[in-house]
Amino acid sequence: MDDRLEAWTVALDDHRRQSSIIDSYFDDPNIDRSRDFDFDDESPYPEVRSAVANTDDPDMPASTLRVWVIGLIWAIILPGINQFFLFRYPSVLVGGIVAQLMTFPIGRAVARFTPRWKIFGISLNPSPFTVKEHVLITASVGADSAYATDIIAVQRVYYHQRYNFSYQWFIVMSTQLIGFSIGGVARRFLVAPPSMIWPANLVNCAVFNTLHSQQYAGIGTLGGMSRERFFVITLLAAFAWNFFPTYLFQALSYFSWVTWIWPDDPLVAQLFGYVHGLGLTVITLDWNQIAYIGSPLATPWWAQVNIIGGFVIFYWILAPILYFTNTFHAKYMPILSHESYDNEMKPYNVTRILRQDKSIDREAYQVYSPLYISTTFAISYGLSFAAITATIVHALLFFRKQITIQFRRSLHEQPDIHARLMSKYPQVPEWWYLTIFLSMFALGVVGIEVWPTEMPVWAFVVALAIAFLYVIPVGMIQAITNQQVGLNVITELIIGYALPGRPIAMMMFKTYGYITMSQALTFTSDFKLGHYMKIPPRPMFCAQVVATMLAGTVQLAVQAWMFDHIPDMCSPDQPDGFTCPETDVFATASVIVTLVYFFLIGAVAPVIHWLLNKKYPNSVLRYAKMALISPVIFNGTQYIPPATTINYVPWAAVGLLFQFFIRRRYFSWWTKYNYVLSAALDAGTAISCIFIFFCLQYPKNGTIGQKLEQWWGNTVPFAGADYAGTPMIRLAEGEKFG
């Protein structure tokens, strides 16, 4: 009797647990509702099943000596390369995929040729190279450029301030690492729950499992070419093809054929141009351009619909209306530009309105000129405001139950197969996160107090509080949609009102507020990768901290070298494309005045959607509730500027082809090859760009292939009204507008 009662009790508890789980996914647009699943054996998400193995070997080595040696080498090479390309447009982000690919043969070679000796009890070669070692090496690579390096660049280029390396290192380290402490809290909400799938990580998981020939049920049973062979062939094809749009025939990258017919017509340039126009021809054959805002093969199709829908509404409908009605004197500037202008349509000279202490002189501002920005730049700022309020309201309306459930479960094991497998490993102690926070907080205080940043400590604290407030709702949206809502604009607004006329303080406040949250989510995303690949949390934490510190130091050194050795650095006419578009946008933002009424739009939009869904629960809005996300609509175009139409419409077209049509009609093919294809295209293109620059463009002062650069296919995209940014209304010499 007792045995039967105990069995019934266990069954009842299991039923309640399963019901709670299913309820939490009721409004999840990613979940697979077309099949029954055993939640204890596999993920309910087809994306996860296709890329992640549902098994683990706890005895497989992960944190070995060779992991640290290879990982730290990559933590020097990759961040240095990306810092180099940060100042170029179109930039080439050499993601962790390059280290991921090249580490595989390197790791195999090290395992084969290293003797099986021990030094101080540490084995030089404990086993064959394992997939866990591979993951830990890749996860430790801080490939992205440190955001705070833009502060250093802007101070040097626009404010003519050069401080010593200690200042630079304190600022970069504190901004990069303080977010990790927040990530320690966020991991309970954003890593363990199965609904937080983090789509970008699935590409990496597919590559790891492909390279190590991991077999698991989610791959499916489709025959034909192996994933390994498919990956190699695609990578080589992408490497070879990239020579055409990047070096041999650059018109394939900027295929604005209408502006080639009427090159000097400003109206054609505004409508069809790819550099300063709306790009209505929407053709490019360059994967660099298509994947500039992220791989379209990794973002769910419904998220892409949100993004491209927002793009069409705000940039192809609203922007032309504002521009051609000359709202805010728009026709005196190109419709799309990342630059700021004065009232003579010349680049805004910030130094003319600065006092000796680099604060803004209002009288000098009135004498010189108001600051003007293009229509699309203004819309971009407005949408950033809308995204901020929409994120909070949307999270409260649609995710409040899930947040409450996760808060109550935060100290308990999550009930999916991957969480159960990860429960065997000890978690990172809380005091590790506290140590990171206190030490980096101290570095930040020293950095802003010892050097003349004009930023008080209380502002530093407020910036961190903003990051803490947004990390959970923004993280949930990113984990589901692959899109992150940035805090850069809201932080600019807050500090602009709190400390008006202090551009350096504004950049500092923005960086601490925005990047603290962003780094917390980067940390969380890497932990989700470790969750999928069953990496012990403690080695993952140590690898990320050490690699981030090394990467930031290297990036500062590379940036200093570039400014000292590359001629005309950050000039609009720099011959190799090192025009510093990101730095230009960053500098403009330090003095800009923006459109605050978009706050209201962002707050109201999710409420309208929620109320309609409540009133008509059985209508088509029930499905829109799952797939329509206001923050993604507002925030999806955050890369404009410097991104343009050429980076959005082709991206959405490719994404819808693979993530909607092929996924639905040829699901077996999609399951086996989609994420492998994404990784191969990214890797082949990135390696090709590195080869072209360092072998064909940089040597001999760029004299290699000079004649090739002068033929029509390499000159036509960079001529005429579009490239020059010719506005609809041109001023005579000395004439002003406004």
Side-chain angles (χ1 to χ4, degrees), residues 20 56 61 114 122 156 229 237 241 267 298 306 309 321 358 480 484 522 600 623-624 650-652 674 691:
S20 175
D56 179 37
T114 302
I122 300 174
R156 178 168 184 157
R229 187 178 180 187
W241 170 254
L267 177 60
N306 278 267
I321 292 174
K358 304 305 177 183
I480 294 172
Q484 184 183 114
T522 298
L600 181 61
Y623 301 97
W651 171 85
N674 180 71
F691 180 88

Side-chain angles (χ1 to χ4, degrees), residues 693-725:
F693 182 83
F694 286 105
C695 296
L696 300 176
Q697 294 178 331
Y698 186 70
K700 296 184 178 181
N701 296 319
T703 57
I704 299 176
Q706 271 189 334
K707 292 184 179 180
L708 182 64
E709 294 177 359
Q710 301 304 317
W711 86 284
W712 177 85
N714 282 337
T715 59
V716 67
F718 311 113
D722 175 39
Y723 186 73

Side-chain angles (χ1 to χ4, degrees), residues 125-190:
N125 191 359
S127 70
F129 188 61
T130 69
V131 64
K132 292 191 178 184
E133 290 179 296
H134 196 173
V135 174
L136 193 55
I137 290 172
T138 305
S140 67
V141 177
D144 293 341
S145 174
Y147 194 77
T149 58
D150 270 327
I151 296 177
I152 313 302
V154 169
Q155 286 182 292
R156 178 168 184 157
V157 175
Y158 295 93
Y159 299 113
H160 308 295
Q161 293 178 325
R162 297 189 185 185
Y163 298 133
N164 60 30
F165 188 80
S166 296
Y167 162 77
Q168 300 177 28
W169 197 82
F170 285 4
I171 296 300
V172 169
M173 287 304 109
S174 58
T175 56
Q176 289 293 96
L177 287 174
I178 202 168
F180 285 9
S181 57
I182 307 177
V185 178
R187 75 186 192 280
R188 295 187 176 95
F189 299 86
L190 304 176

Side-chain angles (χ1 to χ4, degrees), residues 525-697:
S525 175
D526 286 342
F527 258 66
K528 186 68 175 186
L529 175 63
H531 186 84
Y532 281 147
M533 301 303 297
K534 317 304 178 292
I535 308 301
R538 293 185 180 186
M540 176 71 80
F541 175 90
C542 295
Q544 286 185 287
V545 171
V546 173
T548 299
M549 294 178 69
L550 180 59
T553 305
V554 170
Q555 288 170 338
L556 287 173
V558 169
Q559 179 169 300
W561 179 89
M562 292 180 70
F563 277 103
D564 290 337
H565 292 84
I566 295 180
D568 302 323
M569 185 74 177
C570 294
S571 167
D573 301 320
Q574 211 285 329
D576 296 316
F578 291 99
T579 57
C580 309
E582 298 277 355
T583 304
D584 196 22
V585 172
F586 202 94
T588 299
S590 68
V591 294
I592 205 163
V593 179
T594 51
L595 307 168
V596 296
Y597 54 82
F598 271 81
F599 274 125
L600 181 61
I601 297 175
V604 170
V607 175
I608 295 175
H609 180 202
W610 183 78
L611 289 175
L612 288 174
N613 183 76
K614 285 291 185 182
K615 186 172 179 62
Y616 306 103
N618 297 318
S619 69
V620 70
L621 291 173
R622 179 178 180 272
Y623 301 97
K625 176 186 178 182
M626 295 186 294
L628 183 65
I629 298 183
S630 300
V632 178
I633 294 175
F634 294 132
N635 187 73
T637 55
Q638 62 176 309
Y639 299 100
I640 300 177
T644 65
T645 298
I646 197 176
N647 306 124
Y648 274 88
V649 179
W651 171 85
V654 172
L656 290 176
L657 172 65
F658 283 92
Q659 294 290 72
F660 182 76
F661 292 109
I662 292 179
R663 187 180 186 275
R664 291 198 169 195
R665 297 187 180 185
Y666 307 99
F667 184 73
S668 296
W669 188 97
W670 181 90
T671 297
K672 187 173 183 179
Y673 296 123
N674 180 71
Y675 292 113
V676 177
L677 174 63
S678 176
L681 290 173
D682 289 346
T685 302
I687 295 171
S688 179
C689 287
I690 295 171
F691 180 88
I692 290 170
F693 182 83
F694 286 105
C695 296
L696 300 176
Q697 294 178 331

